[in-house]
Amino acid sequence: MYMKQKLWIFYVILTTFAFCGCSGQKAAPTPMESVTAAPAMASTSLHPAAQTAQDVLSSYQTLMDKTAEEAPASISHTIPEDMFALLARYADHMNVIPQNGRYTFTAVEESTHAYQASGMEMEMGTTPDPSDETPMDDTRMGDYSVQGGGQYKRTMLFDVAEDLSQGRIEITNLLNGENTGHEIYTFARRSDGFYFADAAADLSVTLDILQSSGTYLVAIGRLSESKVEVAEYHVASLDLLPSPDNMDFDSLKNTQELLSYLCTDKDTTTFR
């Protein structure tokens, strides 16, 4: 039980590193640019990309708001808005201007983290198992504590059309040089709507090490003025990640073993 509790804490902390803003952030551009470390960036951006993103997604905003209200457990439909916000945030912070009609740049966050948890804290939130309490383990109580942390690094690669007609964003997270997260987001505006595909590496904790199973959780989406749809499923490799430019959403929705499916139109919202 002690090891399970320790792994649980370790996993929570790594997850926090991967998805929360970090103290002491800094952004590093591509080699041809130079920028010094700056204070933490605001959540809103005045960069032109922010207004372009708002214009692109405005056609779907009513259905997005309806989804948020009627299917609060759904998260994946917010990926396009979140990724555009990330683009605008760093483009603004690094004073990036488009070259040849594209935003192509790299941003890096680095920081050092540390944590410490006592035996009593590790007991919190767990359900004792009477069959696992004999003999008693006194190292789990009293002054016992665990410490950890290290150097966190997040690298974001942006290659996006200035008019946000299509693009790709790749995010890699490292802790002490070990991969703790990998995500690829691609999107394309087509005649019948906005399509996107997002793949995030499946990770698990084994002996205090966050490891990738080699598979990816994929979210594919099709947004239009009349309907918002998102489907989630697993793929064995990134080679199987569909391209939004020519994605057959209906075929994928009907042939993959779906983990979840969201559909919102003007009348109903379905999330299962």
Side-chain angles (χ1 to χ4, degrees):
M1 179 182 293
Y2 154 67
M3 181 59 71
K4 292 180 180 178
Q5 292 159 354
K6 184 178 179 183
L7 293 181
W8 176 79
I9 289 178
F10 183 79
Y11 177 74
V12 168
I13 292 168
L14 287 183
T15 304
T16 302
F17 289 169
F19 294 101
C20 294
C22 303
S23 61
Q25 291 178 342
K26 62 179 179 180
T30 49
M32 65 281 291
E33 298 177 306
S34 177
V35 65
T36 57
M41 291 164 285
S43 59
T44 58
S45 170
L46 299 178
H47 194 274
Q51 183 60 55
T52 304
Q54 183 175 335
D55 294 341
V56 168
L57 297 178
S58 61
S59 299
Y60 325 120
Q61 196 58 55
T62 298
L63 291 180
M64 292 291 203
D65 293 342
K66 186 174 187 289
T67 299
E69 180 179 349
E70 299 182 3
S74 174
I75 298 176
S76 295
H77 68 283
T78 68
I79 292 175
E81 183 178 4
D82 294 341
M83 287 298 189
F84 282 163
L86 196 69
L87 167 68
R89 178 187 180 192
Y90 284 97
D92 186 22
H93 177 63
M94 297 169 60
N95 297 317
V96 174
I97 60 175
Q99 299 291 334
N100 299 318
R102 300 191 71 81
Y103 294 109
T104 305
F105 65 101
T106 299
V108 177
E109 291 179 353
E110 293 184 274
S111 56
T112 301
H113 297 265
Y115 71 87
Q116 181 172 345
S118 70
M120 288 298 290
E121 289 170 337
M122 292 172 67
E123 289 294 317
M124 295 176 62
T126 65
T127 302
D129 179 2
S131 65
D132 193 34
E133 295 301 312
T134 303
M136 293 296 290
D137 180 1
D138 58 8
T139 65
R140 295 160 50 206
M141 308 300 289
D143 294 332
Y144 175 78
S145 66
V146 292
Q147 299 180 16
Q151 186 66 29
Y152 170 79
K153 182 177 182 180
R154 190 185 200 201
T155 303
M156 291 153 283
L157 307 176
F158 298 90
D159 183 9
V160 178
E162 180 181 2
D163 62 358
L164 302 187
S165 57
Q166 63 87 223
R168 172 189 172 100
I169 300 174
E170 182 172 3
I171 302 172
T172 302
N173 296 312
L174 300 177
L175 181 63
N176 296 329
E178 298 293 331
N179 193 317
T180 58
H182 183 215
E183 182 175 6
I184 294 177
Y185 168 73
T186 57
F187 67 93
R189 291 159 56 193
R190 291 161 47 178
S191 59
D192 61 339
F194 182 98
Y195 287 74
F196 72 88
D198 182 88
D202 285 318
L203 300 172
S204 61
V205 178
T206 303
L207 296 177
D208 284 2
I209 299 175
L210 199 61
Q211 296 181 327
S212 172
S213 64
T215 62
Y216 282 78
L217 172 62
V218 169
I220 57 171
R222 176 173 60 187
L223 315 182
S224 70
E225 294 184 18
S226 60
K227 186 183 293 186
V228 167
E229 290 182 278
V230 181
E232 291 183 309
Y233 58 93
H234 280 113
V235 295
S237 74
L238 287 174
D239 293 337
L240 299 175
L241 180 65
S243 171
D245 295 291
N246 53 21
M247 176 195 302
D248 187 337
F249 184 91
D250 290 320
S251 176
L252 290 168
K253 178 188 70 176
N254 294 326
T255 58
Q256 298 296 320
E257 185 176 346
L258 299 186
L259 301 173
S260 71
Y261 173 66
L262 166 74
C263 180
T264 299
D265 57 29
K266 65 182 181 64
D267 298 317
T268 62
T269 297
T270 301
F271 180 63
R272 59 177 186 270

